[in-house]
Amino acid sequence: MWNIDLTDLEELKPHADRLFEKKKSLDESRPLPNSALQRIRTDLSIEWTYNSNSIEGNTLSLRETQMVLQEGITIKGKTLVEHFEAHNHEKAIDYLYTLVNKNYVLRSIDVLSLHGLVLRSIEDDYAGRIRNGGVRIIGANFTPPNANKVSDLLDELISFVNENTDGLNDVLLATIFHHKLVWIHPFFDGNGRTVRLAMNLLLMRNGFPPAIILKNDRKKYYEALNQANNGNYHKLYLLMLQALERSLNIYLNAMPGNTYGEYEPISHIVSEPEFKYGQEYISLLARQGKIDAYKEGRNWLTTREAINNYIKTRKRDR
Ligand SMILES: Nc1ncnc2c1ncn2[C@@H]1O[C@H](COP(=O)(O)OP(=O)(O)OP(=O)(O)O)[C@@H](O)[C@H]1O
Ligand SMILES: [Mg+2]
């Protein structure tokens, strides 16, 4: 029932390989100093909270989210619910960190617990509970399954993930889990935030940093889910690879003696007089995951090495 067409994902293999290389070098260079680790983890938790809640419609900015979480400040003009959402999401992340370790096996109870934390004090009637009625997703190309099927579907999905009979890599497995869970849409509300947490259980148990889907990619994310509904995972897998690579880069950049070069905005690199390629072309390579790059706000960052490597390989292939 969860048959998946992987044929058109071949094209993303170089991107995935690059990411696993980075993961390896992160593993090998551990441990980072505790204070540095702690700082990155805190920053990422704030970003994760901001982006995930913002995708859902919360209007707190990144800076406001940080003030709410770190200084306990109330932001004028923002609703109580928006404040709860920020605090709840942070608690859910903390809970997630208590679960993840090498031997972690996905359980539906943990998905429910995360959901319970996400909607605590906001929708107490159904926080942590599977829906008992129909739902629709605005803009989606399908209607989620009937409520009486949800519990079985959820169990099947959890078994699918834990058995992983096709030996899918961690990122692809998390991608498929992400899509199937929002497809089932087990809850009346909070499905997106919950799955963006839960998919990270699958990644972080194996030592990956969290993958954060960016608010700026919301439109792309929804399109990717619509394509996944039609059995095509290319776009969603790419989005996940990019999200994860961004977090990996943040860790790698913090490491003493990292060998990945300096990340700079593409606009800087292409403005050098001796640089032969245009912004459009390099940005396209970045968006397609063909070069090592990640997004900061609206800007793509990459390294000169990444561009040179790509161009060298292109020449060799021809
Ligand atoms: N076309 C689609 N196909 C499948 N799932 C979709 C589609 N569009 C959106 N979704 C998923 O449904 C989620 C919205 O569901 P819901 O409102 O329950 O979650 P939320 O956490 O309250 O909000 P959000 O998910 O927007 O953050 C989206 O985040 C996304 O994960
Ligand atoms: Mg919602």
Side-chain angles (χ1 to χ4, degrees):
M1 108 145 279
W2 304 108
N3 52 343
I4 286 137
D5 181 7
L6 302 175
T7 42
D8 74 324
L9 301 183
E10 262 310 290
E11 191 199 297
L12 292 174
K13 190 164 180 300
H15 193 174
D17 288 346
R18 182 175 78 222
L19 194 133
F20 291 119
E21 264 311 302
K22 286 188 180 181
K23 160 72 165 49
K24 205 168 131 225
S25 78
L26 188 65
D27 287 342
E28 283 165 1
S29 64
R30 262 176 197 177
L32 275 171
N34 237 336
S35 57
L37 266 184
Q38 197 50 48
R39 188 177 44 76
I40 299 175
R41 177 175 147 175
T42 305
D43 287 353
L44 283 179
S45 295
I46 294 166
E47 280 194 22
W48 183 357
T49 297
Y50 156 70
N51 281 287
S52 195
N53 283 350
S54 171
I55 286 178
E56 174 263 339
N58 188 306
T59 66
L60 291 173
S61 67
L62 176 63
R63 178 85 185 99
E64 287 168 345
T65 305
Q66 185 200 347
M67 295 201 299
V68 168
L69 297 181
Q70 294 195 312
E71 289 153 46
I73 283 170
T74 309
I75 309 288
K76 218 170 128 196
K78 304 293 174 184
T79 64
L80 192 56
V81 167
E82 290 179 305
H83 287 82
F84 274 137
E85 286 177 343
H87 287 295
N88 284 359
H89 194 270
E90 186 189 44
K91 295 235 163 61
I93 294 177
D94 290 344
Y95 180 65
L96 188 152
Y97 271 104
T98 67
L99 294 176
V100 283
N101 62 60
K102 265 206 175 63
N103 304 317
Y104 177 74
V105 175
L106 187 65
R107 303 180 305 172
S108 60
I109 179 87
D110 297 330
V111 177
L112 298 185
S113 301
L114 288 171
H115 182 259
L117 290 169
V118 164
L119 289 191
R120 187 147 87 182
S121 312
I122 301 174
E123 318 252 25
D124 277 327
D125 287 347
Y126 51 79
R129 300 218 181 111
I130 284 177
R131 65 182 159 90
N132 56 6
V135 278
R136 279 168 184 280
I137 307 175
I138 299 161
N141 55 3
F142 80 109
T143 308
N146 203 293
N148 61 24
K149 301 232 169 74
V150 166
S151 173
D152 286 348
L153 286 168
L154 189 58
D155 288 343
E156 271 178 61
L157 177 59
I158 304 274
S159 310
F160 168 83
V161 166
N162 287 333
E163 287 160 20
N164 189 15
T165 43
D166 293 329
L168 304 174
N169 73 53
D170 296 335
V171 187
L172 191 48
L173 192 66
T175 303
I176 292 166
F177 171 65
H178 186 139
H179 168 250
K180 295 297 183 190
L181 193 73
V182 284
W183 180 85
I184 298 171
H185 229 70
F187 310 109
F188 277 123
D189 193 15
N191 293 280
R193 282 165 287 174
T194 302
V195 75
R196 292 189 289 275
L197 287 158
M199 70 175 182
N200 277 317
L201 284 170
L202 302 182
L203 296 168
M204 290 160 73
R205 67 176 173 184
N206 292 332
F208 280 100
I212 301 174
I213 310 246
L214 301 176
K215 158 69 172 23
N216 284 342
D217 287 335
R218 184 175 193 263
K219 201 163 154 256
K220 244 193 244 170
Y221 170 50
Y222 283 10
E223 280 165 16
L225 287 170
N226 266 337
Q227 291 193 8
N229 293 332
N230 294 330
N232 181 349
Y233 279 91
H234 189 279
K235 224 176 156 139
L236 191 61
Y237 187 36
L238 175 58
L239 205 64
M240 289 283 282
L241 288 168
Q242 288 171 334
L244 204 47
E245 189 164 25
R246 181 173 171 276
S247 302
L248 274 169
N249 286 346
I250 290 172
Y251 276 95
L252 287 168
N253 283 344
M255 285 185 347
N258 93 81
T259 51
Y260 285 94
E262 283 290 316
Y263 288 87
E264 294 174 67
I266 288 177
S267 56
H268 280 190
I269 300 179
V270 300
S271 66
E272 298 272 315
E274 72 271 22
F275 194 79
K276 290 200 291 288
Y277 302 91
Q279 170 131 11
E280 297 272 301
Y281 176 57
I282 304 298
S283 302
L284 180 70
L285 295 179
R287 281 200 306 279
Q288 293 176 330
K290 295 206 166 132
I291 54 172
D292 179 2
Y294 68 103
K295 212 170 169 186
E296 209 49 89
R298 298 210 168 268
N299 295 321
W300 278 96
L301 276 72
T302 185
T303 66
R304 282 154 214 261
E305 289 85 342
I307 299 174
N308 291 338
N309 286 344
Y310 177 76
I311 289 167
K312 253 187 269 158
T313 345
R314 278 299 297 264
K315 285 203 181 117
R316 223 181 301 132
D317 290 349
R318 253 186 263 148

